[in-house]
Amino acid sequence: MNIPFCEKYRSTSVNEILDHKNIIKTFKNLISQKKFINSIFFGQPGTGKTSLITSCAKEIYGDKFKVMVLELNGSDDRGIGTIRNIISDFAEYNQIFSKGSKLIILDEADSMTYDAQFALKRIMENYSKTTKFCLVCNYIYKIIPHLQSRCFIFRFPNITPKFIKEKLMFISKKEKINYTSEGLNVLINISEGDMRKSINLLHSLSLTTTIINKDNIYKYTGYILDGTIDELIDILIHLEFKEAFYKIKKIIKKNKICFIDFISNIYKFIDKLNLNNKQISEFINNIAEIEYNLLNNASFDIQLGALIASFFKLRYIK
């Protein structure tokens, strides 16, 4: 069976977790005391939040993990019914043959409705002596203050590039994947600190090419070469509206570029535009609006026109 690399090589113990040394130190102390605390893990995807809490739970509970731990995904089980039924029942149920507090892990907790979060607050209060909670989320501001005040909050920053490269090299060696150092660096750059994304890219490329290098990465993943972005920006700066529109459309079609990927990456090249503060403010606001519209299935042609128009506006802002 072809198991995804991100699952096959998921960390199974706290010692295997890369980066986040201070957070790991805290949880190693908890493991030594055989206890948990109510906590919130937040940060960008692929930074090891779920891996850490499940690894800790397995070390504390051992073969009683399935009895003592309830894992739920907030994006699937996001309503108040789940809180009142599944979570409440698990918290209330007495573990006759097991000592210590039970643990409830709520992944993607920021997808839960506000009513569900308020119901969860009451359960945390009622069963504080027998059940601990770990809420895992990307956006802490989506968690109500009443829950935040009852938890220790841990922020997971993006994974340091050297640790991502270390993991990719380890997997490549295990799977006998040929790669170049430059190729791995490109994967790391594309993943932007997301370990899971980098591993998934490595897996997909290993199925389609014989070597992971820069050319194959851009060829098979559809990501945009920096040179292509430079070319598009040069067109936006120097050509008139109609000519720019058709040239950019031709390049996008020829290179099979995802337009939203171009919009998402254009901010990285903003220093090449030599803009003043007023121009930058206007430009970022326009790009944000275009990206929002594209994510909501707006017309490609209209948003391309809006992008060209935003560059024209910069010429008249002093």
Side-chain angles (χ1 to χ4, degrees):
M1 186 171 64
N2 192 17
I3 303 172
F5 287 175
C6 60
E7 294 300 326
K8 187 176 181 179
Y9 294 100
R10 180 185 287 274
S11 302
T12 56
S13 72
V14 176
N15 290 327
E16 293 178 10
I17 303 289
L18 300 174
D19 221 344
H20 314 313
K21 299 303 179 185
N22 291 331
I23 298 175
I24 290 172
K25 183 179 179 181
T26 299
F27 278 84
K28 278 186 175 180
N29 289 334
L30 292 174
I31 290 171
S32 67
Q33 299 172 43
K34 299 289 184 182
K35 68 178 184 180
F36 275 109
I37 53 175
N38 288 331
S39 55
I40 295 175
F41 290 2
F42 82 97
Q44 293 301 306
T47 51
K49 302 183 295 295
T50 305
S51 293
L52 177 57
I53 190 61
T54 53
S55 295
C56 288
K58 286 176 181 177
E59 291 195 28
I60 288 179
Y61 297 120
D63 57 2
K64 296 177 182 176
F65 176 87
K66 292 184 178 179
V67 177
M68 298 294 288
V69 179
L70 174 65
E71 295 181 272
L72 293 173
N73 190 304
S75 61
D76 297 327
D77 309 296
R78 62 194 303 268
I80 194 169
T82 298
I83 303 299
R84 286 176 174 170
N85 299 321
I86 300 175
I87 293 178
S88 181
D89 288 348
F90 181 81
E92 186 176 0
Y93 179 69
N94 291 322
Q95 308 295 345
I96 300 173
F97 301 106
S98 301
K99 295 181 179 180
S101 297
K102 293 167 288 185
L103 175 65
I104 296 176
I105 301 172
L106 277 168
D107 209 348
E108 298 187 42
D110 45 356
S111 296
M112 295 174 65
T113 64
Y114 286 120
D115 285 344
Q117 290 189 46
F118 277 108
L120 180 62
K121 176 196 73 114
R122 290 191 290 273
I123 292 174
M124 290 177 72
E125 292 171 344
N126 294 337
Y127 300 100
S128 59
K129 293 182 179 180
T130 60
T131 307
K132 301 302 178 185
F133 294 79
C134 181
L135 311 184
V136 181
C137 63
N138 296 331
Y139 306 106
I140 187 69
Y141 68 86
K142 291 186 177 181
I143 304 297
I144 61 173
H146 305 75
L147 287 178
Q148 291 187 39
S149 66
R150 288 166 172 77
C151 299
F152 288 86
I153 298 176
F154 298 91
R155 177 183 174 272
F156 284 66
N158 289 343
I159 303 292
T160 306
K162 72 171 185 176
F163 290 118
I164 297 180
K165 191 167 187 177
E166 182 181 314
K167 187 77 170 182
L168 295 179
M169 290 173 67
F170 171 78
I171 295 172
S172 297
K173 183 178 179 181
K174 288 285 187 181
E175 299 292 331
K176 296 180 172 59
I177 298 171
N178 296 318
Y179 64 88
T180 65
S181 181
E182 181 188 39
L184 294 188
N185 288 336
V186 171
L187 281 184
I188 292 165
N189 184 51
I190 289 173
S191 66
E192 298 182 322
D194 185 334
M195 178 72 83
R196 181 167 55 245
K197 183 177 180 180
S198 67
I199 294 173
N200 283 335
L201 284 170
L202 179 70
H203 193 179
S204 62
L205 286 164
S206 71
L207 299 174
T208 55
T209 184
T210 56
I211 184 169
I212 311 298
N213 59 25
K214 180 180 178 180
D215 292 338
N216 285 334
I217 289 170
Y218 285 113
K219 179 180 178 181
Y220 290 106
T221 63
Y223 283 90
I224 312 169
L225 286 163
D226 289 354
T228 304
I229 294 180
D230 284 333
E231 182 183 3
L232 291 171
I233 290 177
D234 187 64
I235 291 171
L236 287 164
I237 292 173
H238 296 106
L239 298 188
E240 294 302 311
F241 190 100
K242 190 174 181 179
E243 187 180 3
F245 184 90
Y246 288 108
K247 274 205 170 186
I248 290 174
K249 198 169 181 179
K250 184 178 179 180
I251 291 171
I252 287 174
K253 185 177 180 180
K254 179 183 176 182
N255 294 280
K256 299 178 181 178
I257 295 170
C258 177
F259 187 51
I260 195 166
D261 283 344
F262 172 56
I263 296 297
S264 299
N265 281 280
I266 200 171
Y267 76 92
K268 298 177 182 177
F269 297 79
I270 200 168
D271 58 317
K272 296 183 179 182
L273 302 179
N274 296 317
L275 305 177
N276 60 40
N277 289 337
K278 191 174 181 181
Q279 289 173 319
I280 290 173
S281 298
E282 180 68 22
F283 180 68
I284 292 296
N285 186 58
N286 291 335
I287 293 299
E289 186 174 350
I290 293 168
E291 183 175 20
Y292 176 82
N293 291 337
L294 288 170
L295 289 170
N296 286 278
N297 300 315
S299 163
F300 162 74
D301 284 354
I302 292 175
Q303 297 313 307
L304 175 56
L307 175 64
I308 298 169
S310 70
F311 272 83
F312 265 79
K313 287 170 66 177
L314 295 178
R315 303 179 187 183
Y316 302 99
I317 298 174
K318 302 300 181 183

